Amino acid sequence: MSSTTSGPSYQVTDPSTGEVVDSFDIATDAEIEAALSSSAAAYGTWKDVPITERAEVVKKVAALFAERADELAAIATREMGKPEAEGVEEAEFCQAIFEYFANEGPTLAADQPIKAFSGGKAMVQRLPIGPLLGIMPWNFPFYQIARFVAPNLMLGNTIILKHAESVPGSALAVEQIMKDAGLPEGAYINVFATHDQIETIIADPRIQGVSLTGSERAGAIVGALAGKHLKKCVLELGGSDPFVVLDTADIDEVAGTAWDFRMYNTGQACNSNKRMIVMDDLFDDFVGKLTEKALATETYSPLSSRAAAESLAEQVQDAVDKGATLHAGGVLSDGPAAFYSPAVLSGITEEMRAYREELFGPVAVVYKVGSDEEALELANNTQYGLGGSVFSTDPERATKLAQRLEVGMANVNTAAGEGAEIPFGGVKRSGFGRELGPLGMDEFVNKRMFYVAD
């Protein structure tokens, strides 16, 4: 392993100005070794703390997320451009997640008796497995951590956390919350690691699993490393979720729902409704309503970086050059700021990049279809399989189609079922594994069979 600082640079660039406002030293190899040693030592004691006592610490984590919501929101705004109100919501969601696992964890992790046909008593126990590595993205810099960390701290695992290079302040703020909540030394450690150091951490025998939320490319690399070293792996790699409108009694309402969900976090959400699939008799009105909303948007937040804004602009321009219609928006600001005006795009065809690539930004893409079967075929014609939703005044009709979506999360008459208790995850190239809800405590766990003979 290299002892140089090759790899990513941890710095804060305000996307509203393009100005670098802070930077942080990359970890030394000695610091990485210290983190591994400390995490392993902490696991030795944390796993033996009764789960009800671990819950008390996790509840304090929840309380601190709520107490510091305004402070956390301001950090996220500075680092990746998140609207401050959404940053407060994110911190409050973290509170809900930690509270959920603190309250439900002892039940979710309880021994599960199973039938033994040969006599004796058999049960499945849910036990921790050891130190884990989390590799998290910038788009929800607190929530992504919470949904990975909360269940695993409850189980008795310990955490080494490598955050995105662009949100080091968010990473340090979460680490401070963990310390202030009373987690033992080494139970949660933030590292500003290089890519080479991440490979070293995954290879280390003390690490028992790795969870990554990020790009397909990053997921393929981390998944391959985890497989090479026989480590459990959870991957959430984005999506191109369908939002299918079969019919509606209120076009304003369904278009408003579609627009608000697409624009949340400036369009930078994995499970955003990136493909709106609308019946032909509603299509013109639907596009018209979205266009009105785009044209009425006078102020908006920047994307996370200038590079992200330029990449999105290239994807949209490719579509327009090949015949798509840009109804509104789609204006890239002068550099080095990262503003891109909320856009409405239709007429996407298979030769365009936008047909197969994820558009990670404020672009509402609308497709026209003529039947339920055509809607389903288009919805499933993607390499991704994170989530999807179907809207209709006839719940049975919507349910019938939603049941056939090739996704990890299917929704009827809502953009997304969301909550600390609702599992999150996908299929196909959207990754594998689940976070949140009862399934969130079922990943990095030793489901040990325990049998006592008569």
Side-chain angles (χ1 to χ4, degrees), residues 231-262:
K231 305 295 174 71
K232 176 64 188 285
C233 182
V234 168
L235 302 175
E236 195 269 274
L237 308 178
S240 188
D241 291 12
F243 181 104
V244 181
V245 183
L246 301 178
D247 62 73
T248 181
D250 190 336
I251 192 72
D252 287 312
E253 181 181 17
V254 74
T257 296
W259 180 258
D260 291 345
F261 193 58
R262 185 66 186 100

PDB file of all heavy atoms in Angstrom, residues 231-262:
ATOM      1  N   LYS A 231     -15.969 -10.704   1.789  1.00  0.00           N
ATOM      2  CA  LYS A 231     -16.650  -9.842   2.755  1.00  0.00           C
ATOM      3  C   LYS A 231     -18.093  -9.596   2.321  1.00  0.00           C
ATOM      4  O   LYS A 231     -18.381  -9.418   1.133  1.00  0.00           O
ATOM      5  CB  LYS A 231     -15.924  -8.484   2.851  1.00  0.00           C
ATOM      6  CG  LYS A 231     -14.445  -8.566   3.182  1.00  0.00           C
ATOM      7  CD  LYS A 231     -14.194  -9.123   4.571  1.00  0.00           C
ATOM      8  CE  LYS A 231     -12.701  -9.328   4.827  1.00  0.00           C
ATOM      9  NZ  LYS A 231     -11.953  -8.070   4.989  1.00  0.00           N
ATOM     10  N   LYS A 232     -19.001  -9.583   3.276  1.00  0.00           N
ATOM     11  CA  LYS A 232     -20.393  -9.236   2.993  1.00  0.00           C
ATOM     12  C   LYS A 232     -20.448  -7.811   2.461  1.00  0.00           C
ATOM     13  O   LYS A 232     -19.720  -6.928   2.902  1.00  0.00           O
ATOM     14  CB  LYS A 232     -21.235  -9.342   4.274  1.00  0.00           C
ATOM     15  CG  LYS A 232     -22.697  -8.896   4.121  1.00  0.00           C
ATOM     16  CD  LYS A 232     -23.461  -9.780   3.170  1.00  0.00           C
ATOM     17  CE  LYS A 232     -24.853  -9.209   2.884  1.00  0.00           C
ATOM     18  NZ  LYS A 232     -25.814  -9.387   3.972  1.00  0.00           N
ATOM     19  N   CYS A 233     -21.349  -7.586   1.487  1.00  0.00           N
ATOM     20  CA  CYS A 233     -21.405  -6.299   0.801  1.00  0.00           C
ATOM     21  C   CYS A 233     -22.857  -5.895   0.569  1.00  0.00           C
ATOM     22  O   CYS A 233     -23.691  -6.743   0.212  1.00  0.00           O
ATOM     23  CB  CYS A 233     -20.667  -6.418  -0.536  1.00  0.00           C
ATOM     24  SG  CYS A 233     -20.584  -4.933  -1.505  1.00  0.00           S
ATOM     25  N   VAL A 234     -23.180  -4.636   0.801  1.00  0.00           N
ATOM     26  CA  VAL A 234     -24.463  -4.046   0.441  1.00  0.00           C
ATOM     27  C   VAL A 234     -24.189  -2.873  -0.486  1.00  0.00           C
ATOM     28  O   VAL A 234     -23.333  -2.025  -0.186  1.00  0.00           O
ATOM     29  CB  VAL A 234     -25.245  -3.577   1.687  1.00  0.00           C
ATOM     30  CG1 VAL A 234     -26.434  -2.700   1.295  1.00  0.00           C
ATOM     31  CG2 VAL A 234     -25.725  -4.782   2.495  1.00  0.00           C
ATOM     32  N   LEU A 235     -24.897  -2.818  -1.618  1.00  0.00           N
ATOM     33  CA  LEU A 235     -24.680  -1.766  -2.608  1.00  0.00           C
ATOM     34  C   LEU A 235     -26.002  -1.105  -2.978  1.00  0.00           C
ATOM     35  O   LEU A 235     -26.979  -1.784  -3.278  1.00  0.00           O
ATOM     36  CB  LEU A 235     -24.057  -2.347  -3.891  1.00  0.00           C
ATOM     37  CG  LEU A 235     -22.719  -3.075  -3.756  1.00  0.00           C
ATOM     38  CD1 LEU A 235     -22.326  -3.671  -5.099  1.00  0.00           C
ATOM     39  CD2 LEU A 235     -21.629  -2.132  -3.253  1.00  0.00           C
ATOM     40  N   GLU A 236     -26.012   0.239  -2.957  1.00  0.00           N
ATOM     41  CA  GLU A 236     -27.155   1.003  -3.471  1.00  0.00           C
ATOM     42  C   GLU A 236     -26.591   1.965  -4.496  1.00  0.00           C
ATOM     43  O   GLU A 236     -25.836   2.873  -4.156  1.00  0.00           O
ATOM     44  CB  GLU A 236     -27.869   1.731  -2.332  1.00  0.00           C
ATOM     45  CG  GLU A 236     -29.255   2.227  -2.722  1.00  0.00           C
ATOM     46  CD  GLU A 236     -29.247   3.624  -3.274  1.00  0.00           C
ATOM     47  OE1 GLU A 236     -29.315   4.573  -2.487  1.00  0.00           O
ATOM     48  OE2 GLU A 236     -29.165   3.769  -4.519  1.00  0.00           O
ATOM     49  N   LEU A 237     -26.949   1.749  -5.773  1.00  0.00           N
ATOM     50  CA  LEU A 237     -26.204   2.370  -6.863  1.00  0.00           C
ATOM     51  C   LEU A 237     -27.046   3.261  -7.771  1.00  0.00           C
ATOM     52  O   LEU A 237     -26.722   3.455  -8.920  1.00  0.00           O
ATOM     53  CB  LEU A 237     -25.539   1.265  -7.693  1.00  0.00           C
ATOM     54  CG  LEU A 237     -24.710   0.259  -6.886  1.00  0.00           C
ATOM     55  CD1 LEU A 237     -24.149  -0.808  -7.799  1.00  0.00           C
ATOM     56  CD2 LEU A 237     -23.601   0.958  -6.116  1.00  0.00           C
ATOM     57  N   GLY A 238     -28.113   3.807  -7.245  1.00  0.00           N
ATOM     58  CA  GLY A 238     -28.866   4.749  -8.052  1.00  0.00           C
ATOM     59  C   GLY A 238     -29.932   4.097  -8.898  1.00  0.00           C
ATOM     60  O   GLY A 238     -30.154   2.891  -8.849  1.00  0.00           O
ATOM     61  N   GLY A 239     -30.617   4.932  -9.674  1.00  0.00           N
ATOM     62  CA  GLY A 239     -31.718   4.388 -10.444  1.00  0.00           C
ATOM     63  C   GLY A 239     -32.257   5.352 -11.476  1.00  0.00           C
ATOM     64  O   GLY A 239     -31.780   6.472 -11.622  1.00  0.00           O
ATOM     65  N   SER A 240     -33.261   4.882 -12.192  1.00  0.00           N
ATOM     66  CA  SER A 240     -33.978   5.694 -13.167  1.00  0.00           C
ATOM     67  C   SER A 240     -35.461   5.350 -13.021  1.00  0.00           C
ATOM     68  O   SER A 240     -36.081   4.790 -13.908  1.00  0.00           O
ATOM     69  CB  SER A 240     -33.469   5.411 -14.582  1.00  0.00           C
ATOM     70  OG  SER A 240     -34.017   6.321 -15.504  1.00  0.00           O
ATOM     71  N   ASP A 241     -36.000   5.691 -11.859  1.00  0.00           N
ATOM     72  CA  ASP A 241     -37.297   5.187 -11.434  1.00  0.00           C
ATOM     73  C   ASP A 241     -38.450   5.690 -12.303  1.00  0.00           C
ATOM     74  O   ASP A 241     -38.545   6.895 -12.593  1.00  0.00           O
ATOM     75  CB  ASP A 241     -37.568   5.593  -9.985  1.00  0.00           C
ATOM     76  CG  ASP A 241     -36.669   4.872  -9.000  1.00  0.00           C
ATOM     77  OD1 ASP A 241     -35.695   4.245  -9.440  1.00  0.00           O
ATOM     78  OD2 ASP A 241     -36.942   4.942  -7.788  1.00  0.00           O
ATOM     79  N   PRO A 242     -39.347   4.789 -12.692  1.00  0.00           N
ATOM     80  CA  PRO A 242     -40.543   5.194 -13.439  1.00  0.00           C
ATOM     81  C   PRO A 242     -41.618   5.757 -12.512  1.00  0.00           C
ATOM     82  O   PRO A 242     -41.786   5.299 -11.375  1.00  0.00           O
ATOM     83  CB  PRO A 242     -41.012   3.887 -14.083  1.00  0.00           C
ATOM     84  CG  PRO A 242     -40.561   2.824 -13.124  1.00  0.00           C
ATOM     85  CD  PRO A 242     -39.257   3.320 -12.549  1.00  0.00           C
ATOM     86  N   PHE A 243     -42.339   6.749 -13.030  1.00  0.00           N
ATOM     87  CA  PHE A 243     -43.479   7.369 -12.354  1.00  0.00           C
ATOM     88  C   PHE A 243     -44.607   7.303 -13.372  1.00  0.00           C
ATOM     89  O   PHE A 243     -44.666   8.098 -14.308  1.00  0.00           O
ATOM     90  CB  PHE A 243     -43.116   8.815 -11.988  1.00  0.00           C
ATOM     91  CG  PHE A 243     -44.162   9.613 -11.268  1.00  0.00           C
ATOM     92  CD1 PHE A 243     -44.058   9.865  -9.901  1.00  0.00           C
ATOM     93  CD2 PHE A 243     -45.240  10.170 -11.946  1.00  0.00           C
ATOM     94  CE1 PHE A 243     -44.997  10.647  -9.232  1.00  0.00           C
ATOM     95  CE2 PHE A 243     -46.185  10.952 -11.290  1.00  0.00           C
ATOM     96  CZ  PHE A 243     -46.062  11.187  -9.930  1.00  0.00           C
ATOM     97  N   VAL A 244     -45.461   6.281 -13.251  1.00  0.00           N
ATOM     98  CA  VAL A 244     -46.440   5.966 -14.287  1.00  0.00           C
ATOM     99  C   VAL A 244     -47.791   6.588 -13.932  1.00  0.00           C
ATOM    100  O   VAL A 244     -48.323   6.342 -12.838  1.00  0.00           O
ATOM    101  CB  VAL A 244     -46.593   4.442 -14.451  1.00  0.00           C
ATOM    102  CG1 VAL A 244     -47.608   4.123 -15.547  1.00  0.00           C
ATOM    103  CG2 VAL A 244     -45.240   3.792 -14.759  1.00  0.00           C
ATOM    104  N   VAL A 245     -48.339   7.365 -14.855  1.00  0.00           N
ATOM    105  CA  VAL A 245     -49.666   7.973 -14.665  1.00  0.00           C
ATOM    106  C   VAL A 245     -50.628   7.352 -15.671  1.00  0.00           C
ATOM    107  O   VAL A 245     -50.550   7.624 -16.875  1.00  0.00           O
ATOM    108  CB  VAL A 245     -49.615   9.507 -14.837  1.00  0.00           C
ATOM    109  CG1 VAL A 245     -50.997  10.106 -14.568  1.00  0.00           C
ATOM    110  CG2 VAL A 245     -48.575  10.122 -13.902  1.00  0.00           C
ATOM    111  N   LEU A 246     -51.516   6.496 -15.161  1.00  0.00           N
ATOM    112  CA  LEU A 246     -52.485   5.818 -16.021  1.00  0.00           C
ATOM    113  C   LEU A 246     -53.719   6.680 -16.266  1.00  0.00           C
ATOM    114  O   LEU A 246     -54.251   6.729 -17.372  1.00  0.00           O
ATOM    115  CB  LEU A 246     -52.900   4.489 -15.388  1.00  0.00           C
ATOM    116  CG  LEU A 246     -51.765   3.483 -15.127  1.00  0.00           C
ATOM    117  CD1 LEU A 246     -52.319   2.239 -14.458  1.00  0.00           C
ATOM    118  CD2 LEU A 246     -51.048   3.124 -16.423  1.00  0.00           C
ATOM    119  N   ASP A 247     -54.204   7.313 -15.224  1.00  0.00           N
ATOM    120  CA  ASP A 247     -55.330   8.241 -15.329  1.00  0.00           C
ATOM    121  C   ASP A 247     -55.358   9.072 -14.058  1.00  0.00           C
ATOM    122  O   ASP A 247     -54.681   8.745 -13.075  1.00  0.00           O
ATOM    123  CB  ASP A 247     -56.661   7.495 -15.512  1.00  0.00           C
ATOM    124  CG  ASP A 247     -56.990   6.597 -14.329  1.00  0.00           C
ATOM    125  OD1 ASP A 247     -57.355   7.122 -13.262  1.00  0.00           O
ATOM    126  OD2 ASP A 247     -56.880   5.359 -14.470  1.00  0.00           O
ATOM    127  N   THR A 248     -56.115  10.151 -14.055  1.00  0.00           N
ATOM    128  CA  THR A 248     -56.209  11.006 -12.877  1.00  0.00           C
ATOM    129  C   THR A 248     -57.478  11.836 -12.935  1.00  0.00           C
ATOM    130  O   THR A 248     -57.944  12.191 -14.023  1.00  0.00           O
ATOM    131  CB  THR A 248     -54.986  11.933 -12.762  1.00  0.00           C
ATOM    132  OG1 THR A 248     -55.122  12.738 -11.588  1.00  0.00           O
ATOM    133  CG2 THR A 248     -54.866  12.844 -13.976  1.00  0.00           C
ATOM    134  N   ALA A 249     -58.008  12.121 -11.756  1.00  0.00           N
ATOM    135  CA  ALA A 249     -59.144  13.035 -11.664  1.00  0.00           C
ATOM    136  C   ALA A 249     -58.669  14.466 -11.437  1.00  0.00           C
ATOM    137  O   ALA A 249     -59.469  15.404 -11.459  1.00  0.00           O
ATOM    138  CB  ALA A 249     -60.069  12.604 -10.526  1.00  0.00           C
ATOM    139  N   ASP A 250     -57.351  14.627 -11.220  1.00  0.00           N
ATOM    140  CA  ASP A 250     -56.810  15.954 -10.909  1.00  0.00           C
ATOM    141  C   ASP A 250     -55.403  16.061 -11.487  1.00  0.00           C
ATOM    142  O   ASP A 250     -54.422  15.684 -10.850  1.00  0.00           O
ATOM    143  CB  ASP A 250     -56.789  16.165  -9.390  1.00  0.00           C
ATOM    144  CG  ASP A 250     -56.468  17.597  -8.995  1.00  0.00           C
ATOM    145  OD1 ASP A 250     -55.841  18.313  -9.799  1.00  0.00           O
ATOM    146  OD2 ASP A 250     -56.833  17.998  -7.867  1.00  0.00           O
ATOM    147  N   ILE A 251     -55.305  16.555 -12.707  1.00  0.00           N
ATOM    148  CA  ILE A 251     -54.007  16.650 -13.377  1.00  0.00           C
ATOM    149  C   ILE A 251     -53.067  17.591 -12.642  1.00  0.00           C
ATOM    150  O   ILE A 251     -51.858  17.363 -12.601  1.00  0.00           O
ATOM    151  CB  ILE A 251     -54.193  17.092 -14.856  1.00  0.00           C
ATOM    152  CG1 ILE A 251     -52.886  16.904 -15.644  1.00  0.00           C
ATOM    153  CG2 ILE A 251     -54.682  18.519 -14.951  1.00  0.00           C
ATOM    154  CD1 ILE A 251     -52.532  15.485 -15.931  1.00  0.00           C
ATOM    155  N   ASP A 252     -53.617  18.643 -12.016  1.00  0.00           N
ATOM    156  CA  ASP A 252     -52.769  19.563 -11.256  1.00  0.00           C
ATOM    157  C   ASP A 252     -52.090  18.844 -10.092  1.00  0.00           C
ATOM    158  O   ASP A 252     -50.902  19.045  -9.840  1.00  0.00           O
ATOM    159  CB  ASP A 252     -53.603  20.737 -10.721  1.00  0.00           C
ATOM    160  CG  ASP A 252     -53.997  21.721 -11.809  1.00  0.00           C
ATOM    161  OD1 ASP A 252     -53.113  22.115 -12.590  1.00  0.00           O
ATOM    162  OD2 ASP A 252     -55.178  22.084 -11.882  1.00  0.00           O
ATOM    163  N   GLU A 253     -52.860  18.011  -9.409  1.00  0.00           N
ATOM    164  CA  GLU A 253     -52.313  17.328  -8.239  1.00  0.00           C
ATOM    165  C   GLU A 253     -51.226  16.332  -8.633  1.00  0.00           C
ATOM    166  O   GLU A 253     -50.138  16.320  -8.046  1.00  0.00           O
ATOM    167  CB  GLU A 253     -53.417  16.610  -7.471  1.00  0.00           C
ATOM    168  CG  GLU A 253     -52.904  15.895  -6.225  1.00  0.00           C
ATOM    169  CD  GLU A 253     -54.000  15.156  -5.477  1.00  0.00           C
ATOM    170  OE1 GLU A 253     -55.072  14.919  -6.074  1.00  0.00           O
ATOM    171  OE2 GLU A 253     -53.767  14.811  -4.302  1.00  0.00           O
ATOM    172  N   VAL A 254     -51.491  15.487  -9.626  1.00  0.00           N
ATOM    173  CA  VAL A 254     -50.511  14.461  -9.975  1.00  0.00           C
ATOM    174  C   VAL A 254     -49.272  15.088 -10.605  1.00  0.00           C
ATOM    175  O   VAL A 254     -48.139  14.649 -10.360  1.00  0.00           O
ATOM    176  CB  VAL A 254     -51.139  13.378 -10.880  1.00  0.00           C
ATOM    177  CG1 VAL A 254     -51.364  13.872 -12.305  1.00  0.00           C
ATOM    178  CG2 VAL A 254     -50.271  12.127 -10.892  1.00  0.00           C
ATOM    179  N   ALA A 255     -49.445  16.157 -11.396  1.00  0.00           N
ATOM    180  CA  ALA A 255     -48.287  16.849 -11.966  1.00  0.00           C
ATOM    181  C   ALA A 255     -47.494  17.538 -10.867  1.00  0.00           C
ATOM    182  O   ALA A 255     -46.244  17.562 -10.895  1.00  0.00           O
ATOM    183  CB  ALA A 255     -48.729  17.857 -13.018  1.00  0.00           C
ATOM    184  N   GLY A 256     -48.197  18.101  -9.885  1.00  0.00           N
ATOM    185  CA  GLY A 256     -47.507  18.739  -8.766  1.00  0.00           C
ATOM    186  C   GLY A 256     -46.707  17.745  -7.948  1.00  0.00           C
ATOM    187  O   GLY A 256     -45.566  18.021  -7.546  1.00  0.00           O
ATOM    188  N   THR A 257     -47.301  16.571  -7.716  1.00  0.00           N
ATOM    189  CA  THR A 257     -46.591  15.513  -7.000  1.00  0.00           C
ATOM    190  C   THR A 257     -45.340  15.093  -7.768  1.00  0.00           C
ATOM    191  O   THR A 257     -44.255  14.932  -7.187  1.00  0.00           O
ATOM    192  CB  THR A 257     -47.511  14.290  -6.800  1.00  0.00           C
ATOM    193  OG1 THR A 257     -48.610  14.671  -5.973  1.00  0.00           O
ATOM    194  CG2 THR A 257     -46.761  13.137  -6.149  1.00  0.00           C
ATOM    195  N   ALA A 258     -45.501  14.916  -9.078  1.00  0.00           N
ATOM    196  CA  ALA A 258     -44.363  14.505  -9.915  1.00  0.00           C
ATOM    197  C   ALA A 258     -43.255  15.547  -9.887  1.00  0.00           C
ATOM    198  O   ALA A 258     -42.069  15.222  -9.748  1.00  0.00           O
ATOM    199  CB  ALA A 258     -44.831  14.273 -11.349  1.00  0.00           C
ATOM    200  N   TRP A 259     -43.631  16.820 -10.018  1.00  0.00           N
ATOM    201  CA  TRP A 259     -42.640  17.893 -10.058  1.00  0.00           C
ATOM    202  C   TRP A 259     -41.908  18.022  -8.725  1.00  0.00           C
ATOM    203  O   TRP A 259     -40.670  18.100  -8.691  1.00  0.00           O
ATOM    204  CB  TRP A 259     -43.325  19.210 -10.417  1.00  0.00           C
ATOM    205  CG  TRP A 259     -42.381  20.367 -10.492  1.00  0.00           C
ATOM    206  CD1 TRP A 259     -42.187  21.340  -9.545  1.00  0.00           C
ATOM    207  CD2 TRP A 259     -41.464  20.678 -11.562  1.00  0.00           C
ATOM    208  NE1 TRP A 259     -41.235  22.236  -9.953  1.00  0.00           N
ATOM    209  CE2 TRP A 259     -40.771  21.849 -11.186  1.00  0.00           C
ATOM    210  CE3 TRP A 259     -41.175  20.074 -12.783  1.00  0.00           C
ATOM    211  CZ2 TRP A 259     -39.803  22.432 -12.004  1.00  0.00           C
ATOM    212  CZ3 TRP A 259     -40.211  20.650 -13.600  1.00  0.00           C
ATOM    213  CH2 TRP A 259     -39.533  21.810 -13.216  1.00  0.00           C
ATOM    214  N   ASP A 260     -42.658  18.053  -7.634  1.00  0.00           N
ATOM    215  CA  ASP A 260     -42.034  18.241  -6.326  1.00  0.00           C
ATOM    216  C   ASP A 260     -41.065  17.112  -5.994  1.00  0.00           C
ATOM    217  O   ASP A 260     -39.979  17.340  -5.458  1.00  0.00           O
ATOM    218  CB  ASP A 260     -43.103  18.346  -5.229  1.00  0.00           C
ATOM    219  CG  ASP A 260     -43.920  19.627  -5.329  1.00  0.00           C
ATOM    220  OD1 ASP A 260     -43.488  20.560  -6.043  1.00  0.00           O
ATOM    221  OD2 ASP A 260     -44.994  19.688  -4.698  1.00  0.00           O
ATOM    222  N   PHE A 261     -41.456  15.876  -6.331  1.00  0.00           N
ATOM    223  CA  PHE A 261     -40.582  14.741  -6.033  1.00  0.00           C
ATOM    224  C   PHE A 261     -39.338  14.779  -6.915  1.00  0.00           C
ATOM    225  O   PHE A 261     -38.233  14.471  -6.446  1.00  0.00           O
ATOM    226  CB  PHE A 261     -41.354  13.435  -6.231  1.00  0.00           C
ATOM    227  CG  PHE A 261     -40.663  12.228  -5.660  1.00  0.00           C
ATOM    228  CD1 PHE A 261     -40.336  12.163  -4.320  1.00  0.00           C
ATOM    229  CD2 PHE A 261     -40.352  11.134  -6.458  1.00  0.00           C
ATOM    230  CE1 PHE A 261     -39.700  11.050  -3.776  1.00  0.00           C
ATOM    231  CE2 PHE A 261     -39.723  10.012  -5.936  1.00  0.00           C
ATOM    232  CZ  PHE A 261     -39.396   9.971  -4.596  1.00  0.00           C
ATOM    233  N   ARG A 262     -39.508  15.187  -8.166  1.00  0.00           N
ATOM    234  CA  ARG A 262     -38.358  15.238  -9.074  1.00  0.00           C
ATOM    235  C   ARG A 262     -37.379  16.335  -8.691  1.00  0.00           C
ATOM    236  O   ARG A 262     -36.163  16.193  -8.877  1.00  0.00           O
ATOM    237  CB  ARG A 262     -38.834  15.454 -10.526  1.00  0.00           C
ATOM    238  CG  ARG A 262     -37.688  15.405 -11.544  1.00  0.00           C
ATOM    239  CD  ARG A 262     -37.082  14.022 -11.610  1.00  0.00           C
ATOM    240  NE  ARG A 262     -35.899  13.934 -12.445  1.00  0.00           N
ATOM    241  CZ  ARG A 262     -34.641  13.934 -12.010  1.00  0.00           C
ATOM    242  NH1 ARG A 262     -34.386  14.056 -10.710  1.00  0.00           N
ATOM    243  NH2 ARG A 262     -33.623  13.814 -12.848  1.00  0.00           N
TER     244      ARG A 262
END
